[in-house]
């Protein structure tokens, strides 16, 4: 993929994600949990701001970090009238996040979708360490991610499926296709790939395929990391509407508090 194609693909993907992905339920849940008192909040991988923008609108002071310029462009456009939100473009695993935050948000399934060259377990643990460093003592960490009992049963699709399809405002038509691969219950790794099929308004159609290895930490693993780093786990749920974390409800919704200096 050349630079022009990369630009077209990334613009299209950020546009379609903005159109098609709905994080309203999670945003409302966060608003309820954080309460009305204005807080200093950091969201890692804020993207187009579906979570952090409602928090800014509710009066919280927001810092969002994300490495994707195209995603951040959506946040900048939507946040133009809000002076209490700043977005910083950076790889969240390579630069410091600042400190003294009341809350850090690792939402929208970030734990299993970190873009990195590193081993995903190391990256996940490092994400939690960075959240710890960014929080003030007593500050709260929010994590939510898909946490299947057996990863082999999580994505039972044998055939590839279209996750996003549509035409952006530049006239580029695209499809984002998920291609299932192997899933190991022993390692909790799902391997597969993603294919972007892009038809620009002008120029040749092209495709781009990326391999993915997603490690899905068990709840026990994530909690062990949190305790080792210095957090206390305060609550674990299975969804945003008070569901318990059980065999039916496997969206791990975790609140932890920074307790050790
Ligand atoms: C699910 S999307 C964002 C969802 C977001 N709530 C929104 O409203 O768009 C995940 C985001 O994680 C970001 N991301 C993944 N790995 C990253 C990394 N290493 N550094 C910074 N951002 C990263 C991607 O750029 C992407 O914007």
């Amino acid at each position: 993929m050349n630079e022009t194609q990369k630009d077209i693909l990334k613009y299209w993907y950020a546009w379609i994600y903005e159109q098609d992905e709905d994080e309203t339920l999670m945003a409302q849940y966060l608003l309820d949990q954080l309460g009305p008192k204005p807080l200093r909040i950091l969201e890692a991988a804020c993207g187009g701001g579906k979570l952090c923008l409602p928090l800014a609108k509710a009066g919280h002071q927001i810092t969002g970090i994300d490495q994707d310029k195209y995603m951040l462009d959506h946040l900048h456009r939507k946040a133009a009238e809000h002076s209490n939100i700043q977005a910083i473009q950076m790889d969240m695993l390579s630069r410091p996040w600042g400190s003294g935050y009341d809350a850090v948000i690792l939402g929208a399934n970030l734990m299993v979708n970190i873009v990195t060259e590193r081993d995903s377990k190391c990256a996940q643990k490092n994400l939690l360490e960075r959240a710890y460093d960014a929080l003030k003592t007593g500050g709260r960490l929010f994590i939510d991610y898909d946490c299947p009992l057996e990863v082999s049963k999580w994505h039972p699709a044998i055939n590839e499926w279209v996750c996003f399809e549509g035409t952006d405002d530049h006239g580029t038509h695209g499809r984002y296709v998920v291609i299932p691969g192997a899933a190991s219950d022993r390692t909790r790794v799902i391997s597969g790939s993603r294919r972007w099929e892009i038809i620009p308004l002008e120029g040749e159609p092209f495709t781009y395929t990326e391999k993915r290895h997603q490690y899905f930490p068990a709840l026990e693993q994530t909690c062990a990391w949190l305790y080792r780093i210095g957090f206390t786990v305060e609550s674990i749920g299975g969804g945003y509407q008070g569901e318990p974390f059980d065999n039916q409800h496997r969206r791990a919704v975790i609140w932890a508090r920074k307790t050790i200096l």
Side-chain angles (χ1 to χ4, degrees), residues 176-191:
Y176 174 67
V177 183
V178 177
I179 306 155
S184 162
D185 292 328
R186 187 181 59 78
T187 61
R188 294 188 62 84
V189 172
I190 297 181
S191 304

Side-chain angles (χ1 to χ4, degrees), residues 163-181:
C163 181
F164 296 128
E165 176 162 16
T167 304
D168 69 21
D169 59 346
H170 286 178
T172 301
H173 185 80
R175 293 193 339 149
Y176 174 67
V177 183
V178 177
I179 306 155

Side-chain angles (χ1 to χ4, degrees), residues 13-21 48-50 74 77-78:
Y13 185 74
W15 190 91
I16 200 84
Y17 189 92
E18 187 62 23
Q19 297 290 314
D20 283 15
E21 198 65 24
K50 288 185 195 316
H74 288 283
R77 177 178 46 77
K78 293 185 291 185

Side-chain angles (χ1 to χ4, degrees), residues 124-199:
Q124 288 158 348
K125 187 163 168 282
N126 188 240
L127 195 66
L128 304 182
E129 289 163 345
R130 285 169 174 276
Y132 182 85
D133 291 341
L135 282 165
K136 69 179 192 188
T137 302
R140 296 167 80 200
L141 172 64
F142 170 73
I143 308 169
D144 103 297
Y145 70 98
D146 291 327
C147 188
L149 199 58
E150 292 164 285
V151 296
S152 58
K153 303 213 172 92
W154 190 244
H155 286 296
I158 298 164
N159 300 318
E160 57 185 50
W161 56 280
V162 178
C163 181
F164 296 128
E165 176 162 16
T167 304
D168 69 21
D169 59 346
H170 286 178
T172 301
H173 185 80
R175 293 193 339 149
Y176 174 67
V177 183
V178 177
I179 306 155
S184 162
D185 292 328
R186 187 181 59 78
T187 61
R188 294 188 62 84
V189 172
I190 297 181
S191 304
S193 40
R194 304 282 190 266
R195 186 177 65 244
W196 284 261
E197 301 169 356
I198 301 292
I199 308 173

Side-chain angles (χ1 to χ4, degrees), residues 10 13-14 17-18 21 23 26 43-53 65-72 74-75 78 88-94 97 105 107-110 113-117 123 127:
K10 289 188 81 75
Y13 185 74
Y17 189 92
E18 187 62 23
E21 198 65 24
E23 294 171 14
M26 198 190 309
E43 187 191 3
C46 62
K50 288 185 195 316
L51 296 182
C52 66
L53 193 63
I65 56 177
D66 200 292
Q67 66 183 7
D68 191 321
K69 166 194 172 313
Y70 301 83
M71 290 276 186
L72 287 178
H74 288 283
L75 175 56
K78 293 185 291 185
I88 304 167
Q89 188 186 354
M90 66 178 200
D91 173 1
M92 63 189 177
L93 298 179
S94 68
W97 295 2
I105 294 167
N109 224 5
L110 173 62
N113 284 305
I114 304 169
V115 177
T116 181
E117 299 290 306
L127 195 66

